[in-house]
């Protein structure tokens, strides 16, 4: 059984995408990030960066005690290794999937995240910051579009954890101020992933938690003021 600590954000959706594709048993434990659940001591004990998603695998492959994993990329790799699915076993195929997984973790995720921050949430309009991150998001969409030309999925013929990491960060393309029509191969891939039954089930799993905005006004005080010495982690 996988205990999934989750909130319906792009990083959270990555993991439900995997779990639904693989048909693994899992239980969702909501981590309402606008309410500060990510600072609860029980959660911080295995997710020390006060971020979700995180998992606890109570049926680890080695039969030992439960295994905890934080960081969405690490979770996807862990689950792929556990099941032997959505990552090729051969060295070249595995290399390609990890390249694009890390491209998402180190590029698309952080850049689109700053795009969301400055375009949507920042209390003041800072045109330089907005342009910087909208442009960088645009550049990354171009890289992905070129990669998908002549390929069904990011790593080739097979759907992989690289697609699962990337897709949720393309879903908000409009609020990232992008136009999918400018990226025809990306758009074709996006529509194909969106139509997968497991994708539809994964997003439906998040719906019951969407009864309040992901980031509330109260939540902004919790989410956007954190420093080393100023966060609910520090007692
Ligand atoms: N690199 C991390 C990022 C996770 C992340 O940023 N999670 C956000 C929501 S998408 C969160 O939990 N935020 C809580 C906070 O900022 O206190 C991952 O990929 O797992």
């Amino acid at each position: 059984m996988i205990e999934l600590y989750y909130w319906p954000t792009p990083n959270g959706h990555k993991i439900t995408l995997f779990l639904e594709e693989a048909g693994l048993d899992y239980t969702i434990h909501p981590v309402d990030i606008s309410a500060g659940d990510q600072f609860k001591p029980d959660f911080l004990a295995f997710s020390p960066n006060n971020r979700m998603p995180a998992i606890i695998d109570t049926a680890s492959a080695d039969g030992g005690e439960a295994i905890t994993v934080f960081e969405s990329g690490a979770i996807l790799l862990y689950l792929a290794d556990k099941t032997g699915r959505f990552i090729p076993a051969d060295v070249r195929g595995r290399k390609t999937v990890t390249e694009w997984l890390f491209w998402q973790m180190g590029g698309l995720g952080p850049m689109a995240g700053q795009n969301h921050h400055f375009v949507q949430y920042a209390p003041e309009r800072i045109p330089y910051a907005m342009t910087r991150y909208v442009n960088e998001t645009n550049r990354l969409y171009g890289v992905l579009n070129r990669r998908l030309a002549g390929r069904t999925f990011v790593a080739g013929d097979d759907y992989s954890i690289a697609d699962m990491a990337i897709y949720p960060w393309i879903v908000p393309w409009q609020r990232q101020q992008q136009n999918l029509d400018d990226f025809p191969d990306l758009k074709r891939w996006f529509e194909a992933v969106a139509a997968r039954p497991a994708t539809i089930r994964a997003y439906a799993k998040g719906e019951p938690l969407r009864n309040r905005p992901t980031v509330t006004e109260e939540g902004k005080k919790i989410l956007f003021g954190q420093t080393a010495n100023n966060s609910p982690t520090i007692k």
Side-chain angles (χ1 to χ4, degrees):
M1 172 70 88
I2 302 293
E3 308 294 338
L4 170 62
Y5 291 76
Y6 162 94
W7 198 243
T9 72
N11 289 318
H13 291 309
K14 292 175 187 174
I15 313 306
T16 47
L17 284 177
F18 187 101
L19 293 167
E20 290 294 333
E21 287 284 348
L24 287 178
D25 279 342
Y26 68 103
T27 304
I28 287 181
H29 301 269
V31 180
D32 183 342
I33 57 175
S34 273
D37 287 353
Q38 66 274 35
F39 294 105
K40 288 183 176 166
D42 288 359
F43 179 69
L44 286 173
F46 61 91
S47 189
N49 196 34
N50 65 265
R51 299 283 187 273
M52 71 85 227
I55 62 164
I56 303 176
D57 180 1
T58 58
S60 60
D62 63 5
E65 61 187 37
I67 290 179
T68 66
V69 193
F70 70 95
E71 279 292 324
S72 59
I75 297 169
L76 287 173
L77 272 173
Y78 175 84
L79 293 173
D81 286 342
K82 176 183 172 73
T83 57
R85 299 190 61 192
F86 305 111
I87 192 164
D90 71 283
V91 67
R92 290 164 200 273
R94 191 178 168 91
K95 186 263 339 181
T96 302
V97 167
T98 52
E99 277 178 333
W100 287 96
L101 176 66
F102 279 68
W103 176 85
Q104 189 287 319
M105 293 299 299
L108 181 65
M111 295 301 126
Q114 294 305 317
N115 175 328
H116 294 175
H117 182 83
F118 286 107
V119 171
Q120 271 200 281
Y121 301 128
E124 48 181 315
R125 277 180 62 84
I126 307 172
Y128 180 86
M130 291 166 70
T131 303
R132 159 81 186 145
Y133 291 112
V134 168
N135 283 354
E136 182 60 4
T137 307
N138 188 262
R139 185 188 72 79
L140 291 162
Y141 273 48
V143 171
L144 189 54
N145 187 55
R146 283 192 293 281
R147 173 67 191 175
L148 286 163
R151 285 188 184 85
T152 308
F153 296 111
V154 170
D157 292 340
D158 297 323
Y159 188 56
S160 76
I161 56 173
D163 301 285
M164 295 176 201
I166 294 167
Y167 173 80
W169 283 94
I170 305 294
V171 171
W173 57 271
Q174 280 158 312
R175 64 184 172 108
Q176 293 168 7
Q177 305 202 345
Q178 307 301 318
N179 182 359
L180 273 197
D181 288 331
D182 295 340
F183 305 101
D185 287 295
L186 170 53
K187 185 175 182 186
R188 184 238 329 132
W189 167 88
F190 178 78
E191 288 171 352
V193 177
R196 292 175 75 86
T199 303
I200 294 164
R201 288 197 303 274
Y203 276 75
K205 279 279 160 71
E207 274 312 307
L209 300 174
R210 285 196 165 279
N211 55 4
R212 52 184 293 184
T214 309
V215 177
T216 60
E217 283 309 310
E218 205 47 40
K220 285 181 185 172
K221 294 181 202 143
I222 293 171
L223 291 166
F224 302 145
Q226 299 171 18
T227 65
N229 297 316
N230 174 25
S231 98
T233 315
I234 311 299
K235 296 280 175 257

